[in-house]
Amino acid sequence: MTTDARSQRLIIVVSGPGGVGKGTIVDALVERDPRLWLSRSWTTRERRPTEREDAYVFTTPAEFERHEAEGGFLEWTEFLGNYYGTPRPQRLGDPDAPDIVLEIELDGAQQVKKQYPEAVLIFVLPPSREEQERRLRGRGDPGDKVLARLRKAELEEPIGVEQADHVVVNDELDRTLDEMLDIIDTERRRGRSERS
Ligand code: 5GP
């Protein structure tokens, strides 16, 4: 790893199966730690009635594909019939800018790790499959989507656990957040000591 590669903003990738609570976690992380900045993804899926208008940049497939062709995404994927992508962050090489948090699925996490091996991949697991299903149903996804997401989760979990730098079980939100903020602080210190 070169000195230059480390004198950048930290990229923290939060990944894990649907219904594990990633969205709640990343919102709370950036609220608790002002040195974190949450990247807003683009998607072609419909906005859920329960969802904020700025949860994503909601866009059309044509617009998404145009942006992709222009090199506008750091990574992107197709997830259960819709596109999702992370816009290329600005000022990546500016160590004084806040560290970047990405909340993305596993394929995207792997793409980021390939481009930036120093990115920190935190894989979040549900406390149980039953709890995950309850959370998925609770947010209003249609039944067939819930089943598809559960199936995908079962397939991807072992891969995510193996590839992650850190695995965290989201059993109780406050405890989970404390553990993740500790991980982030440790990674920041490591970055500094590798630079010096
Ligand atoms: P949802 O439809 O539930 O909001 O998101 C579906 C999945 O796509 C989740 O696992 C979420 O983390 C992931 N996701 C959201 N934004 C992005 C993105 O920009 N890139 C990738 N690869 N996955 C994303």
Side-chain angles (χ1 to χ4, degrees), residues 84-165:
Y84 294 80
T86 305
R88 274 189 195 285
Q90 308 288 307
R91 298 161 65 206
L92 197 52
D94 178 357
D96 295 328
D99 293 324
I100 300 166
V101 178
L102 307 181
E103 188 254 281
I104 60 180
E105 53 68 67
L106 188 58
D107 175 49
Q110 290 168 330
Q111 293 179 50
V112 174
K113 271 298 241 188
K114 213 175 267 171
Q115 295 175 69
Y116 299 99
E118 70 278 14
V120 180
L121 172 53
I122 305 179
F123 197 76
V124 185
L125 290 176
S128 69
R129 200 65 74 201
E130 291 72 34
E131 176 60 17
Q132 181 188 10
E133 185 167 351
R134 199 186 60 76
R135 288 180 191 166
L136 278 175
R137 293 198 191 282
R139 74 184 181 192
D141 279 351
D144 57 333
K145 287 267 160 59
V146 171
L147 290 181
R149 279 166 189 256
L150 284 170
R151 257 198 304 276
K152 201 165 162 61
E154 267 179 71
L155 289 174
E156 290 188 353
E157 247 177 48
I159 307 168
V161 166
E162 197 198 305
Q163 300 195 346
D165 299 297

Side-chain angles (χ1 to χ4, degrees), residues 1-4 6-7 188-196:
M1 192 176 299
T2 65
T3 308
D4 277 343
R6 252 339 214 173
S7 52
R188 281 178 176 141
R189 278 197 298 277
R190 178 181 304 167
R192 268 200 300 275
S193 67
E194 279 177 20
R195 275 200 296 279
S196 57

Side-chain angles (χ1 to χ4, degrees), residues 14 16-18 22 41-42 45 48 51 56 75-77 79 84-86 103-105 107-109 139 141 149:
V14 178
K22 291 175 303 218
S41 294
W42 288 34
R45 93 156 153 67
R48 298 186 186 112
E51 208 164 34
Y56 284 99
E75 63 73 37
W76 68 277
T77 198
F79 181 93
Y84 294 80
T86 305
E103 188 254 281
I104 60 180
E105 53 68 67
D107 175 49
R139 74 184 181 192
D141 279 351
R149 279 166 189 256

